[in-house]
Each structure stands twice: as C-alpha cells, then as structure tokens.
Amino acid sequence: DAKTTQPPSMDCAEGRAANLPCNHSTISGNEYVYWYRQIHSQGPQYIIHGLKNNETNEMASLIITEDRKSSTLILPHATLRDTAVYYCIVRVASFGNEKLTFGTGTRLTIIP
Amino acid sequence: ETGVTQTPRHLVMGMTNKKSLKCEQHLGHNAMYWYKQSAKKPLELMFVYSLEERVENNSVPSRFSPECPNSSHLFLHLHTLQPEDSALYLCASSQERGIGYGYTFGSGTRLTVV
C-alpha cells in the first residue's frame, strides 16, 4: 500500500472548518483513500473513503486532487468532540486484501 | 457501541498468569483482526483471520496465541507476558471481498502486565 504523509498536529477553533491534509504521491490507480479517527483510548472510527471523486457524508467531506496525489478531509463545523488523531490510509480494496496499515496520523485539537 | 464488543475493558496480569481477551461481532463480517497499540506508537497489526483461517501473523511472539472458533468470535490467549506487552489491544472486523466501509473497531482492552 502507498505511504501517506500527514502533519503531526493541528489546532482548529470550535465552530470553524477543520481541514486536514494528506499527501500520497505514490498512490496507484486502484488504491482508495480512507480516513479514520481515534479518540483518546478508544478504537479507531471510520470516517469516509474515496477513489477519485469528492465524497461527502454526515461526518465529513473528502476532497481528492485531480492527480490523486493528495487529499483533504474537511470537518465543516468542528466541535470539541472532534479532538482526536486522524489517520489517512491508502490501500487497494480488492479481494483478500483488507489489511489496514496505520501511520502516526494528525493530532487535531479543537480549541474552545 | 460499534457492533464489535471486547472484554474485558481493563486487565492487569502478572507475568506468570494466563488470560484471554475476547472479541465478538454481530455485523455479519467475515474477517477479524487483532491490533496492538503501545503508548505513543502507531497501531500494529498482529493477526488477521479471514473466513476463520489465520491469513497473517506479523512476527508476533508465541506468548500471544489467537483463536477464531467462528466468524463472530475472536480470542487472544496470553501467557507469560512481559511488561513491554502492556498496551491497548484492539479487535476489528470487516466484510472481506468488498470495498465496503472498511473496518469496525471495538473499544479495546487496556492490558497492564506487572
């Protein structure tokens, strides 16, 4: 699976949009971008995933650049409960290849 | 509650003890995983079970022994652990053979070896 690069930490004011970047310059054409987050001492939680089109769900939006070498996770109105470590993962979603490899992620702190 | 339940939530054990961690999912998933998360480190994949067969063992010491009796249950048997094995142990499940929504994780077992 392709490697990803994320900033180690970010702050965001409560109520503002949090934009978390991820670089994945070696991504292959059949690799998806997944985002998870881990709130302190809990298991990671799936947020969103995409291949090349922008995606939106009730939690967040995912913007993938046209060349697919980077993406941004957007939390539109951050709350204190969004304070967590956010992981960007790229992997092939194909038969028998469901392994998820986590990096160090971005520690997002929402400031009151 | 995520649909993946881990018990116990906390466990303190001596180095000569034998204990087991349990994971249960009722999501209809057919792949299950054990991860270890030590302080200040990324999650490390330990074991992968697909359709109840172990398909991956990431150089985990033999003092950790997984068991998957059916697609809904996964165990991690522990014996003669070391203090450095103290960590958060996370179980996850997924529906293999599909893109789906990725993994569903349990809340973990916080293990302390004394």
Side-chain angles (χ1 to χ4, degrees):
Chain A
D1 294 336
K3 287 190 177 294
T4 63
T5 303
Q6 298 177 255
S9 63
M10 292 180 64
D11 292 339
C12 178
E14 187 178 16
R16 304 295 296 269
N19 297 280
L20 293 96
C22 179
N23 285 322
H24 31 79
S25 58
T26 60
I27 192 170
S28 302
N30 60 350
E31 287 185 308
Y32 284 71
V33 180
Y34 284 76
W35 283 84
Y36 284 75
R37 73 179 182 184
Q38 187 175 21
I39 296 170
H40 181 63
S41 291
Q42 296 182 23
Q45 175 191 23
Y46 165 84
I47 301 173
I48 199 167
H49 74 282
L51 182 62
K52 52 185 176 182
N53 296 323
N54 297 338
E55 303 287 345
T56 295
N57 63 20
E58 65 277 5
M59 289 182 68
S61 294
L62 175 60
I63 308 298
I64 302 174
T65 57
E66 193 168 341
D67 62 9
R68 303 211 321 123
K69 293 185 176 182
S70 66
S71 60
T72 301
L73 178 75
I74 301 172
L75 308 178
H77 304 287
T79 71
L80 297 178
R81 288 180 296 179
D82 293 321
T83 292
V85 178
Y86 287 77
Y87 299 99
C88 169
I89 301 164
V90 294
R91 69 178 177 95
V92 176
S94 63
F95 293 167
N97 188 22
E98 294 288 324
K99 183 173 64 176
L100 268 183
T101 302
F102 288 81
T104 53
T106 295
R107 182 172 297 278
L108 175 67
T109 302
I110 305 303
I111 309 297
Chain B
E1 188 60 51
T2 64
V4 177
T5 304
Q6 289 188 244
T7 54
R9 292 296 307 274
H10 301 272
L11 177 63
V12 179
M13 60 185 289
M15 290 189 286
T16 58
N17 291 159
K18 287 185 180 181
K19 296 286 184 182
S20 295
L21 310 184
K22 179 182 177 182
C23 176
E24 186 172 355
Q25 60 93 6
H26 296 289
L27 301 170
H29 290 168
N30 55 18
M32 297 186 78
Y33 314 82
W34 280 114
Y35 280 85
K36 174 185 177 183
Q37 188 171 35
S38 304
K40 310 291 185 187
K41 288 186 177 180
L43 281 83
E44 303 170 58
L45 180 63
M46 299 175 73
F47 300 105
V48 179
Y49 275 84
S50 173
L51 301 171
E52 300 156 41
E53 299 272 338
R54 191 193 311 181
V55 296
E56 186 151 344
N57 173 350
N58 276 354
S59 302
V60 179
S62 60
R63 58 186 183 269
F64 295 90
S65 175
E67 178 189 2
C68 187
N70 56 61
S71 60
S72 298
H73 294 86
L74 184 66
F75 295 89
L76 187 63
H77 304 299
L78 316 171
H79 65 97
T80 60
L81 294 192
Q82 305 298 311
E84 60 264 29
D85 297 321
S86 298
L88 180 67
Y89 288 85
L90 290 158
C91 172
S93 70
S94 71
Q95 184 59 37
E96 205 188 49
R97 301 178 181 265
I99 296 170
Y101 295 99
Y103 287 18
T104 301
F105 281 84
S107 298
T109 295
R110 173 72 61 186
L111 174 68
T112 302
V113 181
V114 297

